[in-house]
Amino acid sequence: RDPGRAVMRYAQRGTADQYLGRFHLTREKLQEVSERLRKDLIRGLGKHSHHKAPVKMLPTFVRATPDGTEKGDFLALDLGGTNFRVLHVRVMEEQQRVLKMDSQICAIPKEMMQGTGEQLFDHIAACLYDFLLSHNLERETLPLGFTFSFPCEQKEIDKSILIRWTKGFNCSGVEGEDVVKLLKEAIRRRGDYDIGSVAMVNDTVGTMMSCGFRDQSCEIGMIIGTGTNACYMEEMKNVKRVEGEAGRMCINTEWGGFGDDGSLRDIQTEFDVVVDEMSINPGVHTFEKMISGMYLGEIVRLLLVRLTEDGLLFGGRTSKALLTPEAFETKFISEIEEQDNGLENTQKVLSKFGLKWDTVDSCVVRLVCDAISSRSARLCGAALATLANRIRVNRRQERLKTTVGVDGTVYKKHPNFSEELRATVRLLAPKCDITFLVSEDGSGKGAAMVTAVAQRLARQSRLLEESDGETDDEEEEEEEDQ
């Protein structure tokens, strides 16, 4: 091959750096982002500033993490898409383990997703009965953890109002209603079984709680998969929208909405803007669109198209596949960035896209993927550092030791993501020692754990009320004696 031509191509790679540089965030810029999020957390918690806040900071009414004494049998119901799962979970105190005894997946027919709410909840109640029957549990009255992954306003641990349907659902008579009440009514209509207390569970909270039994210092939950979100334990006195000053409550940050007020405009590239404009919800979930699995592949594709059109890749020739929106899947990024087979994987992906590549092209494509996944990991790390720093300052601790329960395909499958995220957290939260635990089944085992903790707290408060009553009686007796 002509060495002069190779030198020319490497010079072109330098031109590609102009584009890649836009995805590089300096330490100072990451600190700025973290500081903006810190202010947004406070706005979201405020009684009067909450409704305008881009980061919603929703109270979950989960008031404690596991203490290791939880035990018993629980049901978990996980509804977040076209299927839903029913699980039987056993919490074993002695072994500090949460065991999934059995589970079953039930389909929701497409027409039911657009039908009445009554039909939908009757279907769920029927599937739940079939599950109980096949596992000889129909005579038991078991507590249930309900993971319902749609935008809700939670009023209590067992009361949650659906704000709006998403993900292709549009059942009538459910928006503005309490979904726990609808489930209980459907079970009551059948009359052949019953359930115990119900706890509503957000999947991010489930992620934190499923790790919290193994490690009782787990006080942050984070998901980086198709979407992204995080929750953490906040001091009750700062949760202005819920009565009471004592103790703590888990807050579902909904941090995907960070930047929806334009606060991240200075770090959005032109490619981020296109991804947002072409999405089904323009202007919403700005932060999520820069870091989560649903969008990373598309950012890479748009950048590859631009580099090709500028003559910096593939001899300036695109392909039909490369020009197809959303054709470049996020899993390709993980394959391309693999340490050992990365170059080979890159060439397979490029051939699949019908592109004429050479070795330099493959190297540039790897650089593109690295720039975009690194930015994602660093932004996520900056946001996580904000939460860790907040917990440390809240508790007036010199150093904080805490654990983060994590879930999501981007975190679990990408070869460098978790290391880059951890490095950013160390940089921006130097006084926090953070352990990362990969969650096991947050919406199943985690939901059972939320229910178990809610039961423990209810028992404790009942005991408190009873003992309060005794002291009242004694005081009354003493008064009578005098």
Side-chain angles (χ1 to χ4, degrees):
R1 192 186 281 185
D2 171 14
R5 187 164 165 262
V7 170
M8 276 295 294
R9 293 301 308 273
Y10 277 99
Q12 286 180 326
R13 186 199 281 191
T15 326
D17 280 346
Q18 290 175 340
Y19 287 110
L20 299 184
R22 299 175 200 178
F23 290 91
H24 178 71
L25 299 169
T26 62
R27 179 182 179 160
E28 291 69 35
K29 186 51 79 179
L30 288 166
Q31 267 164 333
E32 269 178 50
V33 168
S34 178
E35 178 55 23
R36 287 174 211 170
L37 179 59
R38 187 187 71 81
K39 289 178 176 160
D40 274 352
L41 299 184
I42 296 165
R43 278 169 67 195
L45 287 167
K47 197 170 187 172
H48 304 297
S49 52
H50 157 82
H51 64 286
K52 282 189 183 159
V55 181
K56 286 292 170 212
M57 304 296 282
L58 306 172
T60 65
F61 297 87
V62 171
R63 296 171 188 269
T65 52
D67 70 354
T69 65
E70 292 78 13
K71 58 176 182 285
D73 286 78
F74 300 88
L75 295 170
L77 195 57
D78 176 14
L79 174 63
T82 45
N83 291 328
F84 69 93
R85 286 191 309 158
V86 185
L87 302 96
H88 169 210
V89 176
R90 182 163 291 164
V91 180
M92 324 259 297
E93 182 185 10
E94 305 76 37
Q95 297 151 8
Q96 296 279 291
R97 281 172 70 203
V98 187
L99 296 179
K100 182 173 87 175
M101 305 302 286
D102 294 290
S103 71
Q104 193 174 307
I105 291 178
C106 307
I108 298 174
K110 203 147 190 72
E111 59 277 13
M112 202 174 271
M113 292 166 68
Q114 312 284 330
T116 68
E118 198 165 293
Q119 273 179 315
L120 175 70
F121 281 95
D122 282 347
H123 178 59
I124 293 170
C127 293
L128 187 50
Y129 180 68
D130 291 343
F131 176 78
L132 293 173
L133 203 56
S134 61
H135 297 92
N136 298 320
L137 295 166
E138 72 278 8
R139 288 192 181 84
E140 309 270 334
T141 304
L142 298 177
L144 180 139
F146 190 7
T147 305
F148 185 75
S149 303
F150 297 93
C152 284
E153 187 179 353
Q154 204 153 342
K155 299 289 191 187
E156 250 317 325
I157 188 82
D158 58 355
K159 187 175 183 186
S160 197
I161 312 294
L162 176 68
I163 297 167
R164 66 177 173 277
W165 283 115
T166 54
K167 307 182 211 182
F169 277 79
N170 198 12
C171 300
S172 59
V174 187
E175 290 181 353
E177 297 294 327
D178 171 15
V179 292
V180 175
K181 184 164 143 280
L182 296 175
L183 175 67
K184 284 181 164 172
E185 282 171 356
I187 292 169
R188 206 169 295 131
R189 275 195 294 277
R190 293 182 60 87
D192 48 9
Y193 73 100
D194 205 358
I195 52 170
S197 55
V198 175
M200 283 302 289
V201 187
N202 167 277
D203 53 359
T204 316
V205 180
T207 297
M208 176 184 84
M209 296 293 265
S210 73
C211 294
F213 200 53
R214 281 182 291 161
D215 179 343
Q216 282 148 37
S217 57
C218 182
E219 299 194 277
I220 300 176
M222 177 171 73
I223 293 180
I224 321 146
T226 311
T228 183
N229 194 13
C231 66
Y232 72 103
M233 296 304 289
E234 177 58 85
E235 306 303 309
M236 264 306 288
K237 64 176 188 291
N238 299 328
V239 186
K240 306 289 190 214
R241 295 165 62 230
V242 179
E243 273 180 34
E245 295 277 304
R248 296 182 179 140
M249 183 179 286
C250 181
I251 295 294
N252 164 19
T253 64
E254 291 291 344
W255 77 11
F258 178 36
D260 286 0
D261 57 352
S263 68
L264 296 176
R265 212 163 276 145
D266 59 328
I267 62 167
Q268 275 182 295
T269 66
E270 63 204 89
F271 307 101
D272 295 305
V273 171
V274 172
V275 164
D276 178 50
E277 285 171 353
M278 300 308 289
S279 70
I280 53 168
N281 52 352
V284 176
H285 274 189
T286 306
F287 187 61
E288 179 165 279
K289 286 171 185 166
M290 295 170 86
I291 72 175
S292 82
M294 190 166 176
Y295 308 98
L296 293 179
E298 182 63 0
I299 300 172
V300 168
R301 186 190 72 82
L302 290 167
L303 186 44
L304 294 181
V305 169
R306 173 62 63 83
L307 291 170
T308 310
E309 286 171 347
D310 287 0
L312 300 173
L313 275 179
F314 318 127
R317 286 187 296 278
T318 59
S319 68
K320 191 173 176 220
L322 187 66
L323 293 172
T324 307
E326 295 177 22
F328 199 97
E329 296 172 48
T330 296
K331 69 170 184 183
F332 297 154
I333 300 177
S334 298
E335 290 165 9
I336 285 168
E337 289 194 65
E338 248 182 48
Q339 183 116 35
D340 300 330
N341 308 322
L343 210 54
E344 194 184 314
N345 291 346
T346 308
Q347 293 165 355
K348 277 184 194 159
V349 170
L350 297 179
S351 298
K352 192 172 164 182
F353 272 78
L355 295 159
K356 297 273 180 285
W357 51 266
D358 63 20
T359 312
V360 177
D361 288 329
S362 334
C363 292
V364 173
V365 170
R366 286 190 83 183
L367 286 173
V368 167
C369 289
D370 178 60
I372 286 157
S373 64
S374 285
R375 180 187 69 160
S376 166
R378 288 175 152 176
L379 282 173
C380 208
L384 184 57
T386 312
L387 296 186
N389 284 327
R390 178 161 179 85
I391 293 174
R392 187 184 70 78
V393 171
N394 273 346
R395 296 182 191 175
R396 298 189 170 90
Q397 289 176 347
E398 188 50 43
R399 283 200 82 76
L400 174 74
K401 263 184 85 68
T402 193
T403 298
V404 181
V406 202
D407 203 356
T409 43
V410 175
Y411 184 88
K412 292 199 287 199
K413 296 276 197 313
H414 188 282
N416 320 319
F417 190 95
S418 61
E419 189 35 60
E420 192 126 21
L421 179 140
R422 289 197 286 253
T424 307
V425 176
R426 284 194 295 271
L427 195 67
L428 300 182
K431 293 180 178 174
C432 301
D433 303 318
I434 296 179
T435 305
F436 288 79
L437 259 188
V438 172
S439 158
E440 293 175 62
D441 190 13
S443 56
K445 293 179 181 179
M449 213 61 237
V450 172
T451 318
V453 170
Q455 278 209 313
R456 167 170 67 81
L457 295 180
R459 253 197 321 273
Q460 285 169 347
S461 75
R462 274 201 300 277
L463 285 170
L464 275 173
E465 281 165 22
E466 283 165 18
S467 60
D468 285 352
E470 283 164 27
T471 54
D472 290 347
D473 294 345
E474 284 162 20
E475 281 164 15
E476 280 166 22
E477 281 167 24
E478 278 171 25
E479 280 172 25
E480 280 169 22
D481 290 344
Q482 286 165 7

